[in-house]
């Protein structure tokens, strides 16, 4: 069609627009946010949920059905093993453990996937004492890194380091795990090497124990920086392979074959990592593919701890994680029932019940 450069000048009605003030809706939105989240103006302090009815926390029962006093010191956990033995011995203790271990993602990836990472430190603090007792035998709690760092500052007006300190004090017995994007750390660009090294050092100092180091393109050079930074910080190195395609159907997915992943794992093992992570970000890992992949890695690296992560986007997460456990995985990621499913991790209750 025809076009002319003076169209905007010749069409003044383009700027005849109706202006909506919408004052009532804006006021209600502000008041609702203030009541639920407290004041978000930096420099002012208001407790979240002031004046709201606090939900009743469930009573934790032990194996005999007696109520557990969660105000007492929690029982020893895997973090005690780490502090006593160091990262390498900790990883081997995990490998020698009979049965599959669970990492609970509720405090990080679960709410990042379902609630745009909006779970507040205030919310986690209230359930931390119960968590320290109920999940005492868990491999770890994933609770930092990923989007939690920038969301805490940009949207929740919280200090992510303060969150780490406060939760560490309440949960001294369970390892804390974070997600580290290699040279991108917890940001969205490549940072200077010294920034990544210092960041890992400070994260370890403030209570992070296990660092899941990944690169979305499986770029080993990017992974190397994160691996070395974690090693220098004396953290547990979980070097991660990002999974895509379908290893059970190489004809349809000729690039991301079983051989591709095995070669990548070999490269990471050569870097003297402590744990291997398999990160299925899109929930593509089917049960048959899980048996093939985990079984092949276990056969090639019998002493290597394997930690599998998935999302339940396709609805096959529980079945896939059971297949991983049967094929030799040492740790799998799950989320508490009410925070599981869809784009979050598979349901912890469903997984445990399926294996009873």
């Amino acid at each position: 069609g025809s076009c002319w450069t003076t169209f905007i000048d010749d069409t003044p009605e383009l700027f005849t627009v109706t202006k909506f003030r919408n004052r009532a809706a804006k006021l209600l939105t502000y008041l609702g946010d203030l009541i639920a989240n407290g004041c978000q103006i930096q420099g002012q302090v208001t407790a979240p949920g002031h004046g709201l009815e606090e939900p009743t926390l469930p009573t934790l029962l032990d194996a005999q059905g007696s109520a557990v006093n969660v105000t007492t010191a929690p029982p020893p956990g895997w973090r005690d093993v780490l502090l006593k033995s160091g990262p390498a011995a900790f990883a081997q203790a995990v490998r020698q453990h009979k049965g599959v271990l669970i990492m609970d993602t509720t405090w990080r990836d679960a709410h990042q996937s379902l609630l745009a990472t909006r779970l507040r430190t205030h919310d986690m603090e209230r359930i931390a004492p119960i968590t320290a007792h109920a999940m005492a035998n868990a491999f770890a709690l994933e609770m930092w890194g990923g989007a939690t760092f920038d969301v805490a500052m940009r949207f929740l007006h919280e200090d992510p380091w303060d969150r780490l300190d406060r939760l560490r004090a309440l949960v001294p017995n369970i390892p804390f795990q974070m997600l580290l994007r290699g040279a991108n750390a917890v940001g969205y660009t490549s940072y200077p090497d010294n920034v990544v090294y210092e960041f890992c050092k400070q994260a370890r100092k403030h209570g992070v124990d296990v660092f899941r180091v990944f690169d979305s393109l499986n770029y080993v050079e990017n992974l190397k920086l994160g691996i070395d930074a974690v090693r220098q910080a004396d953290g547990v190195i979980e070097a991660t392979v990002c999974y895509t395609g379908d290893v059970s159907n190489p004809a349809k997915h000729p690039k991301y074959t079983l051989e591709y992943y095995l070669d990548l794992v070999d490269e990471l093992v050569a870097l003297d990592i402590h744990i291997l992570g398999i990160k299925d970000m899109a929930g593509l890992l089917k049960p048959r593919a899980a048996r093939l992949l985990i079984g092949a890695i276990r056969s090639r690296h019998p002493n290597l701890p394997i930690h599998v992560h998935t999302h339940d986007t396709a609805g096959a997460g529980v079945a896939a994680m059971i297949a991983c456990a049967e094929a030799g995985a040492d740790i799998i990621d799950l989320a508490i029932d009410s925070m599981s499913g869809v784009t979050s991790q598979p349901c912890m209750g469903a997984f445990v019940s399926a294996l009873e």
Side-chain angles (χ1 to χ4, degrees), residues 42 59 80 88 154 189-190 198 210 264 349:
Q42 296 187 42
T59 300
D80 297 275
R154 293 169 60 201
T189 187
S190 293
E198 184 63 22
V210 185
L264 186 56

Side-chain angles (χ1 to χ4, degrees), residues 213-263:
V213 185
F214 86 105
D215 179 82
S216 60
L217 300 177
N218 289 332
Y219 181 47
V220 176
E221 292 304 314
N222 205 358
L223 287 165
K224 283 181 180 178
L225 174 62
I227 290 170
D228 192 47
V230 175
R231 192 188 316 280
Q232 289 200 21
D234 198 33
V236 178
I237 305 166
E238 183 178 306
T240 304
V241 171
C242 290
Y243 178 83
T244 190
D246 183 2
V247 296
S248 65
N249 191 355
K252 187 176 181 180
H253 300 276
K255 177 174 176 57
Y256 299 103
T257 61
L258 184 60
E259 289 70 26
Y260 165 84
Y261 290 111
L262 289 175
D263 291 343

Side-chain angles (χ1 to χ4, degrees), residues 197-213:
Y197 279 97
E198 184 63 22
F199 178 85
C200 291
K201 176 182 175 181
Q202 292 300 321
R204 184 74 184 95
K205 177 181 177 182
H206 284 265
V208 174
D209 301 296
V210 185
F211 295 74
R212 173 176 282 166
V213 185

Side-chain angles (χ1 to χ4, degrees), residues 82 87-88 90-91 94 101-105 108-109 139-142 175-182 200 204 208-215 218 222-231 234-242 265 268-269 271-280 304-310 329-333:
L82 173 61
F90 166 80
V94 169
L101 293 168
I102 289 173
M103 182 172 83
D104 182 7
T105 67
R108 207 284 297 178
D109 204 7
F139 167 76
L141 302 176
E142 190 193 31
F176 281 172
Q177 179 159 326
M178 75 161 290
L179 187 65
L180 185 75
R181 303 180 180 122
C200 291
R204 184 74 184 95
V208 174
D209 301 296
V210 185
F211 295 74
R212 173 176 282 166
V213 185
F214 86 105
D215 179 82
N218 289 332
N222 205 358
L223 287 165
K224 283 181 180 178
L225 174 62
I227 290 170
D228 192 47
V230 175
R231 192 188 316 280
D234 198 33
V236 178
I237 305 166
E238 183 178 306
T240 304
V241 171
C242 290
V265 170
L268 296 180
V269 170
L271 298 176
D272 195 25
I273 63 175
H274 298 129
I275 297 173
L276 173 72
I278 304 296
K279 183 173 170 60
D280 174 29
L304 177 67
I306 301 173
H307 186 171
V308 186
H309 171 90
T310 190
D330 301 282
I331 316 150
I332 58 166
D333 286 1

